[in-house]
Amino acid sequence: MNYLRNGEVKKEIFIFAILWCGGCALGGVAGASSGAAAVALVGGLFCLLHFYFSYRRYREIAALSEKISRFLHGYESLSIEAQKEGELSVLENEVQKMILRLKNQADLLKNEKIHLVNSIADISHQIRTPLTSVNLIVSRLSSPDLSVEKRRELLMELEGMLVHIDWLIQSLLKISKLDAGTIVMLREKVMVRELIRLSIEALEIPMELKNQTLEVSCGTEVSFAGDLKWMKEALSNIIKNCMEHTPEGGRIWIEATENPMFTEIIVRDNGPGIAKEELPHLFERFFKGKNSSEKSVGIGLALARMIIRGQEGNVSAENAPEGGAKFVIRFYKTAV
């Protein structure tokens, strides 16, 4: 460490030298040689002690600065030994807090980058699969030997694939926005009966084609504080999941109740239920159970959970005692 590089140290040496010389000169002018010697001795001793402790302090500051520099450049982890007392100890404590916060932020950014890379890989895979099917259909449509009926059949299949890709992209965009925290959920009064009606609109025809029965039990005044638009997306995904895993001629029940503690929405079916080993992973992104359809991409339930949690609610899945899957959504009053 170059101790004399500090400008205040040079000023102190200059001032102390002037005062020391001046003290010695005054003692000599007064004729008191012993007094001049005493002034010189005491002044010199004071100067030595002062600059010794000053040197130690600056050396510790320089060592701290070097540690911080090496940490910031990634050479080593930072370990600061606590000082006994004084402003330097306070400074080191504050620097330690700052370093810990920076380290936590760096770890979060690293994890986010890893998550982003994995998400992009998953999204790329999910989109590539239906696009491959689209390419195959298009190549078949270019064949001049296709009959009109077969061409019409392939066009309908192609339209279905394009609709599926559009749904997939829209769902992935919603998940990305929820991940980034750019979506603000409303906290308005949502009437559950209206929510259920809106959520099943797009599923009525597919359920009718499978000859499935839907039973709804919900009072007219059952409500919770949330975002109707986003809850429609979440509830629709859960009902759709039950519909897809319920055989033809099956039944789906939706029950909603409200009490002083929470509002509860239960969706259950009489399908085969959920495999025990799949229950812990059911709401994970891109998770597909063994009974999932080929078109399933494993993001519907993940998106539903993100939306419900974004409104201070929670959702869980289990196997109903009477058989079939059971999804329980709750919005607690204390969270409003």
Side-chain angles (χ1 to χ4, degrees), residues 310-328:
Q311 297 172 79
E312 305 298 333
N314 61 49
V315 58
S316 61
E318 59 188 66
N319 287 309
E322 58 272 22
K326 179 180 178 181
F327 294 86
V328 180

Side-chain angles (χ1 to χ4, degrees), residues 25-43:
L26 289 175
V29 170
S33 57
S34 58
V39 169
L41 180 62
V42 172

